[in-house]
Amino acid sequence: MKFRYAMVCSSNQNRSMEAHSLLKKQGFDVSSYGTGAHVKLPGPSLREPNVYEFGTPYKHMFDDLRRKDPELYKRNGILPMLKRNLSVKLAPQRWQDNAADGCFDIVFTFEEKVFDMVLE
């Protein structure tokens, strides 16, 4: 019996996508999601995050940040992370909107608040 796995973090960027990438390479049936209202990535300061809608392609985010400040986003690891993400799937998906993806046998969450949102 093959299980279906879901990896869930807040923005479907870092932890859920790293797990998704690793499991996908090993042949697992895996999907990944975020639970936030928007996809948030670090910006030039804590008060200036980069905010995108779920469904915005990782390539668009990559190109946008590379245009804004390539050195900053390369140095803080955001561009390499986005490059990995776009090799895994097209865009971040929101857990609350995943009904069409079907049921999962095992769901991993990476924060307590994300766990609570998945249960809701």
mmCIF file of all heavy atoms in Angstrom, residues 1-32:
data_model
loop_
_atom_site.group_PDB
_atom_site.id
_atom_site.type_symbol
_atom_site.label_atom_id
_atom_site.label_comp_id
_atom_site.label_asym_id
_atom_site.label_seq_id
_atom_site.Cartn_x
_atom_site.Cartn_y
_atom_site.Cartn_z
ATOM 1 N N MET A 1 0.847 -1.187 0.000
ATOM 2 C CA MET A 1 0.000 0.000 0.000
ATOM 3 C C MET A 1 0.885 1.242 0.000
ATOM 4 O O MET A 1 1.779 1.379 0.828
ATOM 5 C CB MET A 1 -0.897 -0.007 1.236
ATOM 6 C CG MET A 1 -1.770 1.184 1.353
ATOM 7 S SD MET A 1 -2.858 0.960 2.773
ATOM 8 C CE MET A 1 -3.635 2.516 2.805
ATOM 9 N N LYS A 2 0.638 2.154 -0.927
ATOM 10 C CA LYS A 2 1.404 3.381 -1.017
ATOM 11 C C LYS A 2 0.641 4.507 -0.325
ATOM 12 O O LYS A 2 -0.523 4.741 -0.608
ATOM 13 C CB LYS A 2 1.659 3.726 -2.482
ATOM 14 C CG LYS A 2 2.645 4.829 -2.668
ATOM 15 C CD LYS A 2 3.047 4.948 -4.122
ATOM 16 C CE LYS A 2 4.104 6.014 -4.244
ATOM 17 N NZ LYS A 2 4.611 6.153 -5.576
ATOM 18 N N PHE A 3 1.314 5.180 0.602
ATOM 19 C CA PHE A 3 0.692 6.272 1.335
ATOM 20 C C PHE A 3 0.839 7.590 0.584
ATOM 21 O O PHE A 3 1.796 7.791 -0.149
ATOM 22 C CB PHE A 3 1.334 6.427 2.728
ATOM 23 C CG PHE A 3 1.049 5.299 3.653
ATOM 24 C CD1 PHE A 3 2.045 4.406 4.003
ATOM 25 C CD2 PHE A 3 -0.221 5.115 4.180
ATOM 26 C CE1 PHE A 3 1.785 3.349 4.867
ATOM 27 C CE2 PHE A 3 -0.490 4.072 5.051
ATOM 28 C CZ PHE A 3 0.518 3.189 5.388
ATOM 29 N N ARG A 4 -0.107 8.504 0.828
ATOM 30 C CA ARG A 4 -0.027 9.881 0.319
ATOM 31 C C ARG A 4 0.357 10.780 1.474
ATOM 32 O O ARG A 4 -0.234 10.722 2.551
ATOM 33 C CB ARG A 4 -1.377 10.333 -0.249
ATOM 34 C CG ARG A 4 -1.752 9.570 -1.505
ATOM 35 C CD ARG A 4 -2.931 10.212 -2.223
ATOM 36 N NE ARG A 4 -2.495 11.494 -2.777
ATOM 37 C CZ ARG A 4 -3.225 12.614 -2.742
ATOM 38 N NH1 ARG A 4 -4.416 12.625 -2.195
ATOM 39 N NH2 ARG A 4 -2.772 13.723 -3.273
ATOM 40 N N TYR A 5 1.358 11.610 1.252
ATOM 41 C CA TYR A 5 1.898 12.483 2.281
ATOM 42 C C TYR A 5 1.648 13.946 1.936
ATOM 43 O O TYR A 5 1.719 14.334 0.770
ATOM 44 C CB TYR A 5 3.412 12.296 2.410
ATOM 45 C CG TYR A 5 3.816 10.919 2.847
ATOM 46 C CD1 TYR A 5 3.978 9.894 1.912
ATOM 47 C CD2 TYR A 5 4.033 10.630 4.187
ATOM 48 C CE1 TYR A 5 4.346 8.627 2.311
ATOM 49 C CE2 TYR A 5 4.413 9.360 4.590
ATOM 50 C CZ TYR A 5 4.564 8.364 3.650
ATOM 51 O OH TYR A 5 4.934 7.101 4.034
ATOM 52 N N ALA A 6 1.389 14.758 2.963
ATOM 53 C CA ALA A 6 1.287 16.210 2.807
ATOM 54 C C ALA A 6 2.249 16.859 3.798
ATOM 55 O O ALA A 6 2.296 16.481 4.967
ATOM 56 C CB ALA A 6 -0.133 16.689 3.065
ATOM 57 N N MET A 7 3.014 17.821 3.312
ATOM 58 C CA MET A 7 3.932 18.612 4.127
ATOM 59 C C MET A 7 3.337 20.013 4.237
ATOM 60 O O MET A 7 2.993 20.618 3.210
ATOM 61 C CB MET A 7 5.309 18.715 3.458
ATOM 62 C CG MET A 7 5.938 17.387 3.085
ATOM 63 S SD MET A 7 6.360 16.429 4.547
ATOM 64 C CE MET A 7 5.482 14.918 4.192
ATOM 65 N N VAL A 8 3.177 20.536 5.457
ATOM 66 C CA VAL A 8 2.487 21.814 5.622
ATOM 67 C C VAL A 8 3.269 22.740 6.552
ATOM 68 O O VAL A 8 3.621 22.364 7.673
ATOM 69 C CB VAL A 8 1.058 21.603 6.195
ATOM 70 C CG1 VAL A 8 0.284 22.914 6.187
ATOM 71 C CG2 VAL A 8 0.303 20.528 5.434
ATOM 72 N N CYS A 9 3.546 23.941 6.040
ATOM 73 C CA CYS A 9 4.114 25.011 6.862
ATOM 74 C C CYS A 9 3.283 26.270 6.609
ATOM 75 O O CYS A 9 2.207 26.187 6.020
ATOM 76 C CB CYS A 9 5.609 25.215 6.575
ATOM 77 S SG CYS A 9 6.005 25.901 4.960
ATOM 78 N N SER A 10 3.745 27.408 7.005
ATOM 79 C CA SER A 10 2.942 28.617 6.891
ATOM 80 C C SER A 10 2.809 29.140 5.466
ATOM 81 O O SER A 10 1.715 29.464 5.015
ATOM 82 C CB SER A 10 3.513 29.703 7.796
ATOM 83 O OG SER A 10 2.706 30.845 7.756
ATOM 84 N N SER A 11 3.927 29.219 4.728
ATOM 85 C CA SER A 11 3.897 29.843 3.405
ATOM 86 C C SER A 11 4.201 28.900 2.240
ATOM 87 O O SER A 11 4.297 29.359 1.101
ATOM 88 C CB SER A 11 4.888 31.017 3.357
ATOM 89 O OG SER A 11 4.403 32.111 4.089
ATOM 90 N N ASN A 12 4.394 27.614 2.506
ATOM 91 C CA ASN A 12 4.741 26.641 1.462
ATOM 92 C C ASN A 12 5.998 27.094 0.718
ATOM 93 O O ASN A 12 6.059 27.127 -0.499
ATOM 94 C CB ASN A 12 3.573 26.433 0.502
ATOM 95 C CG ASN A 12 3.677 25.154 -0.336
ATOM 96 O OD1 ASN A 12 2.987 25.035 -1.335
ATOM 97 N ND2 ASN A 12 4.517 24.198 0.033
ATOM 98 N N GLN A 13 7.003 27.438 1.527
ATOM 99 C CA GLN A 13 8.258 27.932 0.969
ATOM 100 C C GLN A 13 9.463 27.135 1.473
ATOM 101 O O GLN A 13 10.181 26.570 0.683
ATOM 102 C CB GLN A 13 8.480 29.411 1.341
ATOM 103 C CG GLN A 13 7.552 30.359 0.652
ATOM 104 C CD GLN A 13 7.862 30.506 -0.825
ATOM 105 O OE1 GLN A 13 8.950 30.252 -1.296
ATOM 106 N NE2 GLN A 13 6.873 30.932 -1.573
ATOM 107 N N ASN A 14 9.655 27.134 2.774
ATOM 108 C CA ASN A 14 10.909 26.630 3.316
ATOM 109 C C ASN A 14 10.819 25.180 3.787
ATOM 110 O O ASN A 14 11.233 24.268 3.090
ATOM 111 C CB ASN A 14 11.373 27.556 4.448
ATOM 112 C CG ASN A 14 12.787 27.304 4.880
ATOM 113 O OD1 ASN A 14 13.519 26.562 4.250
ATOM 114 N ND2 ASN A 14 13.176 27.909 5.974
ATOM 115 N N ARG A 15 10.253 24.966 4.956
ATOM 116 C CA ARG A 15 10.246 23.623 5.544
ATOM 117 C C ARG A 15 9.407 22.630 4.749
ATOM 118 O O ARG A 15 9.865 21.518 4.459
ATOM 119 C CB ARG A 15 9.787 23.696 6.995
ATOM 120 C CG ARG A 15 10.824 24.414 7.851
ATOM 121 C CD ARG A 15 10.272 24.820 9.162
ATOM 122 N NE ARG A 15 9.390 25.961 8.903
ATOM 123 C CZ ARG A 15 8.826 26.673 9.835
ATOM 124 N NH1 ARG A 15 8.992 26.363 11.089
ATOM 125 N NH2 ARG A 15 8.062 27.695 9.539
ATOM 126 N N SER A 16 8.188 23.019 4.375
ATOM 127 C CA SER A 16 7.340 22.074 3.632
ATOM 128 C C SER A 16 7.943 21.747 2.276
ATOM 129 O O SER A 16 7.866 20.613 1.802
ATOM 130 C CB SER A 16 5.921 22.626 3.460
ATOM 131 O OG SER A 16 5.920 23.809 2.685
ATOM 132 N N MET A 17 8.582 22.711 1.646
ATOM 133 C CA MET A 17 9.160 22.472 0.325
ATOM 134 C C MET A 17 10.450 21.668 0.395
ATOM 135 O O MET A 17 10.742 20.882 -0.505
ATOM 136 C CB MET A 17 9.380 23.794 -0.409
ATOM 137 C CG MET A 17 8.088 24.405 -0.911
ATOM 138 S SD MET A 17 7.198 23.326 -2.073
ATOM 139 C CE MET A 17 8.301 23.363 -3.465
ATOM 140 N N GLU A 18 11.239 21.854 1.439
ATOM 141 C CA GLU A 18 12.447 21.025 1.596
ATOM 142 C C GLU A 18 12.043 19.571 1.794
ATOM 143 O O GLU A 18 12.591 18.672 1.159
ATOM 144 C CB GLU A 18 13.285 21.512 2.786
ATOM 145 C CG GLU A 18 14.522 20.682 3.044
ATOM 146 C CD GLU A 18 15.580 20.744 1.953
ATOM 147 O OE1 GLU A 18 15.551 21.644 1.095
ATOM 148 O OE2 GLU A 18 16.465 19.855 1.953
ATOM 149 N N ALA A 19 11.057 19.333 2.658
ATOM 150 C CA ALA A 19 10.575 17.967 2.876
ATOM 151 C C ALA A 19 9.958 17.407 1.593
ATOM 152 O O ALA A 19 10.205 16.248 1.236
ATOM 153 C CB ALA A 19 9.561 17.948 4.017
ATOM 154 N N HIS A 20 9.175 18.210 0.898
ATOM 155 C CA HIS A 20 8.551 17.792 -0.357
ATOM 156 C C HIS A 20 9.631 17.375 -1.358
ATOM 157 O O HIS A 20 9.548 16.311 -1.974
ATOM 158 C CB HIS A 20 7.715 18.948 -0.908
ATOM 159 C CG HIS A 20 6.913 18.613 -2.115
ATOM 160 N ND1 HIS A 20 5.825 19.344 -2.490
ATOM 161 C CD2 HIS A 20 7.030 17.643 -3.063
ATOM 162 C CE1 HIS A 20 5.298 18.841 -3.594
ATOM 163 N NE2 HIS A 20 6.018 17.809 -3.966
ATOM 164 N N SER A 21 10.649 18.202 -1.491
ATOM 165 C CA SER A 21 11.738 17.920 -2.433
ATOM 166 C C SER A 21 12.446 16.609 -2.101
ATOM 167 O O SER A 21 12.652 15.762 -2.973
ATOM 168 C CB SER A 21 12.739 19.080 -2.421
ATOM 169 O OG SER A 21 13.835 18.813 -3.249
ATOM 170 N N LEU A 22 12.793 16.433 -0.838
ATOM 171 C CA LEU A 22 13.512 15.220 -0.423
ATOM 172 C C LEU A 22 12.670 13.961 -0.618
ATOM 173 O O LEU A 22 13.160 12.951 -1.132
ATOM 174 C CB LEU A 22 13.957 15.335 1.036
ATOM 175 C CG LEU A 22 15.055 16.360 1.320
ATOM 176 C CD1 LEU A 22 15.234 16.552 2.819
ATOM 177 C CD2 LEU A 22 16.355 15.952 0.665
ATOM 178 N N LEU A 23 11.416 14.014 -0.212
ATOM 179 C CA LEU A 23 10.549 12.843 -0.344
ATOM 180 C C LEU A 23 10.231 12.537 -1.804
ATOM 181 O O LEU A 23 10.178 11.377 -2.217
ATOM 182 C CB LEU A 23 9.270 13.023 0.468
ATOM 183 C CG LEU A 23 9.457 13.019 1.988
ATOM 184 C CD1 LEU A 23 8.161 13.388 2.687
ATOM 185 C CD2 LEU A 23 9.968 11.677 2.470
ATOM 186 N N LYS A 24 10.035 13.582 -2.601
ATOM 187 C CA LYS A 24 9.763 13.393 -4.027
ATOM 188 C C LYS A 24 10.935 12.682 -4.706
ATOM 189 O O LYS A 24 10.729 11.774 -5.512
ATOM 190 C CB LYS A 24 9.501 14.750 -4.683
ATOM 191 C CG LYS A 24 9.169 14.673 -6.152
ATOM 192 C CD LYS A 24 8.890 16.074 -6.713
ATOM 193 C CE LYS A 24 8.668 16.023 -8.207
ATOM 194 N NZ LYS A 24 8.442 17.355 -8.762
ATOM 195 N N LYS A 25 12.165 13.066 -4.358
ATOM 196 C CA LYS A 25 13.361 12.436 -4.928
ATOM 197 C C LYS A 25 13.443 10.958 -4.570
ATOM 198 O O LYS A 25 14.048 10.180 -5.293
ATOM 199 C CB LYS A 25 14.622 13.159 -4.457
ATOM 200 C CG LYS A 25 14.822 14.501 -5.101
ATOM 201 C CD LYS A 25 16.041 15.205 -4.541
ATOM 202 C CE LYS A 25 16.157 16.616 -5.100
ATOM 203 N NZ LYS A 25 17.224 17.382 -4.460
ATOM 204 N N GLN A 26 12.832 10.573 -3.461
ATOM 205 C CA GLN A 26 12.839 9.179 -3.021
ATOM 206 C C GLN A 26 11.625 8.398 -3.536
ATOM 207 O O GLN A 26 11.418 7.250 -3.158
ATOM 208 C CB GLN A 26 12.905 9.101 -1.490
ATOM 209 C CG GLN A 26 14.179 9.678 -0.903
ATOM 210 C CD GLN A 26 15.411 8.958 -1.397
ATOM 211 O OE1 GLN A 26 15.457 7.726 -1.435
ATOM 212 N NE2 GLN A 26 16.415 9.713 -1.815
ATOM 213 N N GLY A 27 10.799 9.046 -4.347
ATOM 214 C CA GLY A 27 9.672 8.349 -4.959
ATOM 215 C C GLY A 27 8.383 8.348 -4.157
ATOM 216 O O GLY A 27 7.442 7.629 -4.507
ATOM 217 N N PHE A 28 8.301 9.142 -3.100
ATOM 218 C CA PHE A 28 7.078 9.208 -2.306
ATOM 219 C C PHE A 28 5.999 9.995 -3.051
ATOM 220 O O PHE A 28 6.300 10.891 -3.840
ATOM 221 C CB PHE A 28 7.344 9.898 -0.962
ATOM 222 C CG PHE A 28 8.085 9.045 0.026
ATOM 223 C CD1 PHE A 28 9.464 8.922 -0.043
ATOM 224 C CD2 PHE A 28 7.403 8.389 1.036
ATOM 225 C CE1 PHE A 28 10.155 8.148 0.866
ATOM 226 C CE2 PHE A 28 8.083 7.608 1.957
ATOM 227 C CZ PHE A 28 9.460 7.487 1.863
ATOM 228 N N ASP A 29 4.742 9.669 -2.783
ATOM 229 C CA ASP A 29 3.598 10.425 -3.289
ATOM 230 C C ASP A 29 3.372 11.560 -2.300
ATOM 231 O O ASP A 29 2.764 11.383 -1.247
ATOM 232 C CB ASP A 29 2.374 9.507 -3.383
ATOM 233 C CG ASP A 29 1.154 10.202 -3.951
ATOM 234 O OD1 ASP A 29 1.216 11.414 -4.252
ATOM 235 O OD2 ASP A 29 0.121 9.515 -4.075
ATOM 236 N N VAL A 30 3.900 12.735 -2.612
ATOM 237 C CA VAL A 30 3.927 13.830 -1.649
ATOM 238 C C VAL A 30 3.443 15.128 -2.294
ATOM 239 O O VAL A 30 3.661 15.376 -3.481
ATOM 240 C CB VAL A 30 5.352 14.005 -1.060
ATOM 241 C CG1 VAL A 30 6.371 14.292 -2.144
ATOM 242 C CG2 VAL A 30 5.393 15.046 0.032
ATOM 243 N N SER A 31 2.763 15.927 -1.483
ATOM 244 C CA SER A 31 2.327 17.269 -1.865
ATOM 245 C C SER A 31 2.709 18.193 -0.714
ATOM 246 O O SER A 31 3.022 17.734 0.386
ATOM 247 C CB SER A 31 0.810 17.315 -2.071
ATOM 248 O OG SER A 31 0.435 16.477 -3.134
ATOM 249 N N SER A 32 2.659 19.499 -0.966
ATOM 250 C CA SER A 32 2.988 20.442 0.108
ATOM 251 C C SER A 32 2.083 21.664 0.028
ATOM 252 O O SER A 32 1.575 22.013 -1.048
ATOM 253 C CB SER A 32 4.456 20.860 0.033
ATOM 254 O OG SER A 32 4.741 21.474 -1.213
#
